[in-house]
Amino acid sequence: MDNKEIEQKLESKNVKPTAMRTLVYKTLAETGKALSLADLEQRFEKVERSTIFRALKTFEENFIVHPVDDGSGSVKYAVCDDECTCNIHDLHVHFYCTRCGRTRCMKELPIPNIKLPEGYTYDNAQFIINGVCPRCD
Amino acid sequence: MDNKEIEQKLESKNVKPTAMRTLVYKTLAETGKALSLADLEQRFEKVERSTIFRALKTFEENFIVHPVDDGSGSVKYAVCDDECTCNIHDLHVHFYCTRCGRTRCMKELPIPNIKLPEGYTYDNAQFIINGVCPRCD
DNA sequence: TTAAACTTTGCAATAGTGTTGCACTAACTT
DNA sequence: AAGTTAGTGCAACACTATTGCAAAGTTTAA
Ligand SMILES: [Mn+2]
Ligand SMILES: [Mn+2]
Ligand SMILES: [Zn+2]
Ligand SMILES: [Zn+2]
């Protein structure tokens, strides 16, 4: 995915494509995994934590990435599909490998529909499966 | 649940029932909700964070409580059922109310069985539903 | 084209959670 | 009772997340 495409992508979501944002997005898109702030920070050494943090927040607010709290202690972020609005219909299972610490979107596994007891409303959900991934097995 | 019962309960799980442990267990059992270290800390003012922390870890190792990471920023703990061994068969959905911040075990909702792609193994899972609870609605 | 207005970035500070070493005390063993 | 083991309190620390503020960059509009 080249920079032009990324810039168009960000613009289509009403986010101005600055150099930093393009870099952060590119990294997330290319690794194809969910990455934490710390993961990103160490991939490009000289960029400020807070700048990356703010890029991620901006992306999150505009449905460019979605957060994954895999229980590892830091929230990770993964790129959303084009039409994603981060609502119930876009939710999918995430897999956390307890050996390598990698977290993967299982887009092929939508979160199953659960019938809640009377009186509860359902806005959002996280379904994390912990186990060992094929690479580590 | 009186202290005698709690002491027997802890002993049956091979944990020596000290005063602090009994207090922590009692609080978790009586509130019937998942509570964080900070929640517990402020319920009894003069007990050390680290003591509660260690009580919870001991409980967790001995299947007396299970952790719930509801994405609120701090892990919460809830009492296990008697026969629980915290394996796949004991897993259930947790509900996090985004209004009041309360987290509840939905023991009546077991985590649905998911068929993972080839090569993945399944050890454990967390399924958190976010929404509004009946009390806050 | 230049000044004002607005946005983004870097840096430093801060809050909160989780965790550990160490010394002290309580409990248990012989 | 003396020795050994387990539990507690305190202080320190690591790490994640978050924010205020000033400097730098970008956009707008005169
Ligand atoms: Mn995902
Ligand atoms: Mn539970
Ligand atoms: Zn792995
Ligand atoms: Zn509520």
Side-chain angles (χ1 to χ4, degrees), chain A residues 70-137:
Chain A
D70 61 15
S72 65
S74 47
V75 176
K76 293 178 180 160
Y77 296 86
V79 298
C80 290
D81 282 343
D82 281 346
E83 348 64 39
C84 176
T85 55
C86 292
N87 68 33
I88 298 182
H89 308 299
D90 300 305
L91 297 175
H92 50 264
V93 171
H94 289 97
F95 185 89
Y96 175 66
C97 174
T98 49
R99 290 251 177 87
C100 65
R102 270 185 263 262
T103 297
R104 244 203 58 192
C105 292
M106 299 291 219
K107 292 208 171 131
E108 67 278 27
L109 299 176
I111 289 190
N113 198 34
I114 286 275
K115 188 162 172 64
L116 291 173
E118 267 303 295
Y120 288 89
T121 67
Y122 189 150
D123 293 338
N124 202 336
Q126 288 266 341
F127 189 166
I128 312 291
I129 295 181
N130 304 289
V132 181
C133 75
R135 298 180 47 153
C136 291
D137 201 19

Side-chain angles (χ1 to χ4, degrees), chain B residues 6-29:
Chain B
I6 294 172
E7 285 161 23
Q8 281 165 12
K9 171 85 186 177
L10 300 186
E11 271 161 359
S12 78
K13 300 273 188 170
N14 303 306
V15 169
K16 213 189 302 178
T18 66
M20 288 296 93
R21 288 173 182 164
T22 305
L23 180 58
V24 170
Y25 186 92
K26 185 178 203 152
T27 306
L28 286 171

Side-chain angles (χ1 to χ4, degrees), chain B residues 95 97-102 131-137:
Chain B
F95 184 90
C97 175
T98 50
R99 289 253 177 86
C100 64
R102 271 184 263 262
V132 181
C133 75
R135 298 179 47 151
C136 292
D137 202 18

Side-chain angles (χ1 to χ4, degrees), chain B:
Chain B
M1 201 171 188
D2 73 2
N3 284 12
K4 264 276 157 314
E5 286 176 281
I6 294 172
E7 285 161 23
Q8 281 165 12
K9 171 85 186 177
L10 300 186
E11 271 161 359
S12 78
K13 300 273 188 170
N14 303 306
V15 169
K16 213 189 302 178
T18 66
M20 288 296 93
R21 288 173 182 164
T22 305
L23 180 58
V24 170
Y25 186 92
K26 185 178 203 152
T27 306
L28 286 171
E30 279 176 358
T31 69
K33 295 182 308 178
L35 299 178
S36 69
L37 184 53
D39 292 337
L40 287 162
E41 201 182 347
Q42 73 182 111
R43 278 185 203 236
F44 19 82
E45 206 54 51
K46 48 181 53 186
V47 183
E48 250 294 303
R49 202 178 16 279
S50 59
T51 304
I52 306 171
F53 173 78
R54 286 189 269 228
L56 291 171
K57 285 292 165 197
T58 303
F59 289 170
E60 189 181 344
E61 283 160 16
N62 293 281
F63 309 129
I64 295 168
V65 302
H66 60 274
V68 187
D69 190 340
D70 61 14
S72 65
S74 47
V75 176
K76 293 178 181 163
Y77 297 86
V79 298
C80 290
D81 282 344
D82 282 346
E83 349 64 40
C84 176
T85 55
C86 292
N87 67 33
I88 298 182
H89 309 299
D90 299 305
L91 296 175
H92 50 264
V93 170
H94 289 98
F95 184 90
Y96 175 65
C97 175
T98 50
R99 289 253 177 86
C100 64
R102 271 184 263 262
T103 297
R104 245 204 56 193
C105 292
M106 298 292 220
K107 293 208 169 131
E108 67 279 26
L109 298 176
I111 289 190
N113 198 35
I114 285 276
K115 190 164 173 60
L116 291 173
E118 267 304 296
Y120 289 88
T121 68
Y122 188 150
D123 293 338
N124 201 338
Q126 289 266 339
F127 189 167
I128 312 291
I129 295 180
N130 304 289
V132 181
C133 75
R135 298 179 47 151
C136 292
D137 202 18

